[in-house]
Amino acid sequence: MSAPDYRPIITGAPGGLAPNRLELRDFVKDKKGFALYVQALDVIFKEPFDNDFSWPAIGGIHGSPNVRWGDSGPADAPGGDTFGGYCTHGSVLFPTWHRPYVVLFEQSMHNTAKKIAAEYSTDQLGWLKAAEDFRVPYWDWARPLTGKEQAVPEEMISETVTIITPQGAKTVKNPVHSFTFTSKYPYTTFGSPWDAWQTTLRYPTSNAPDAKSQMDLFNTTFSQNSSQIRTQSYQMLTRLLTWNYFSNHTTKQNPPIANSIETIHDTMHLLIGGNIDYEGHMSEIPIAGFDAAFFLHHANVDRMLALWQAIHYDVWVIPGDQPNGTYTIKDNAPVNVQSDLTPFWLTQSTYWNSKDVRDYVGNLHYSYPDFNGLEGKTPAQVSAAILKHVTELYGPTIQPGGPEKLIAGSGSVQPGGPEKPATSSNPGDSASVGYNSTTHEWTVHIRFKKYEFGKSFAVQVYLADTYVGCVSAFATTAGAAQQCENCRNNVDIELEGFVHLNEVILQKLHTLSPDVVKPYLTENLSLGLKTRKPDGTPADISRDLPSLKVAPFSRQVSQDSPYEIPRLGDATYHHDVLAGKPGHTPEDRW
């Protein structure tokens, strides 16, 4: 990697007045930008691992092969026997650490795009301008689906794409579909079965060396989860008021509220990589960074951070600990807003920190379309505008015609479903509520030990035969964890997450009244663990996850306007609902 007298500086992509990163489905409409993106990816894919700005080197920062990037960290670290990658999973630094990571990728792509643009002889000035304004796209996995739009953008799953090259229009291999290692290092250093796969896979057909991706299964599985992901994202953005609760999946929420950004991030890793039978690269922490979807995903995680920090503009990183030490942070070491975000160099002798990356527009030179037209506004004005924008984009459906009405409980009714559920005759528990509204909200609270199962997994929630959503553990396989001392030291780390029930309850019962809902949950609420154990045999949730604790709860939620932070009543747990079922936890053991 880097020589000791040279350290790669993270500057961001220069030029312009902080151009927007665009959502992938909008980005592909820019023929020049998309063509540069595809070609630049192909170029950095083929760069060698010892080039700090190559795809394999950037991907390796997240974990395997557990070597230094950019001369960062102790030179004598024992090759992963003590530390994993640099990523700060589970701590208050999780959102801010990924910000310069995405910028590093963006910087590499921007520099490569400028070189490619210079090769065009037709409209070269237009291509050079497109390269100057180039910013990486994001996949907004919380975006509501419309019409016949498929759940996963075609450009993420198609094997080929047609772009305009310097030689004219061509159909080329789609680099977002998969990444092929050009040499055996580093993929042969991975654990099994990934050490036999030269190409990154999603939803692999098997663990055999000749396994293939199942992109249709990726699309179908995400489609089943998209509504819950949208609901979880809305609640995360509007209800988590503290950095501790927002930033990471380790912090215990008391009282319980909503999923952290990291919890939603974890589920999306598994939904992209797959873990129904066999795990693709995105489902495994040490190797996730090599899948081409990684930065489409993490650019949206960063966008979610930007939206949250705009709404809660007076809140930022607080002190905490780093569970699962990284390549440069000791296990459970204290971290704070000024902690080094290694290995991302700001200068030849200093790193970026969370204070520096807060102003991503001024310091890192990018923005998002969500903020268009808000230049010059006060923080309070921006907060109000973004809260309204987030509510309209991800929140309860505002019914067309007449006075504004909201479907109670976060999360729109899925496309194709009933737009306007029947209204209950019980005041305060109606399926349609408007201003000055108070309604019941139903949620399943789930806790488990992150490493107990020996691999990544998802606890799934069902109402009768309807799948509702899941909470995931984005972990490391048992074999790889044994190579990491800190993973062994933290086997008892407990995670928590939430699955929101209102949308499905309204579709089935047309009311949120406790008198009706609680008996229904007692009869129909169940949990599942539909995956394989590390040894390849089917998992049994009642046997293979003894740390599982599950309890549904309800609360009243009030708003005077759909565009305000909801007022949350006290959570009432219903521990008896799951009596005799997997995950049931009596109140005295909760």
Side-chain angles (χ1 to χ4, degrees), residues 94 232 236 240 243-251 253 258-266 496-498:
F94 170 79
Q232 291 177 350
M236 175 266 295
L240 298 181
W243 183 264
N244 217 23
Y245 286 1
F246 164 76
S247 64
N248 70 92
H249 59 210
T250 310
T251 301
Q253 295 182 15
N259 290 294
S260 71
I261 183 62
E262 187 176 13
T263 303
I264 300 171
H265 151 276
D266 293 353
E496 71 175 355
F498 307 89

Side-chain angles (χ1 to χ4, degrees), residues 207 335 337 343:
N207 279 342
V335 293
V337 72

Side-chain angles (χ1 to χ4, degrees), residues 428-444:
D429 291 307
S430 62
S432 295
V433 293
Y435 295 130
N436 304 306
S437 69
T438 299
T439 189
H440 270 88
E441 192 168 85
W442 296 85
T443 305
V444 177

Side-chain angles (χ1 to χ4, degrees), residues 99 309 312-316 354-360:
R99 180 160 277 178
Q309 72 178 94
H312 312 283
Y313 57 87
D314 56 351
V315 182
W316 199 238
S354 299
K355 183 179 179 181
D356 297 325
V357 302
R358 188 173 189 176
D359 179 11
Y360 58 91

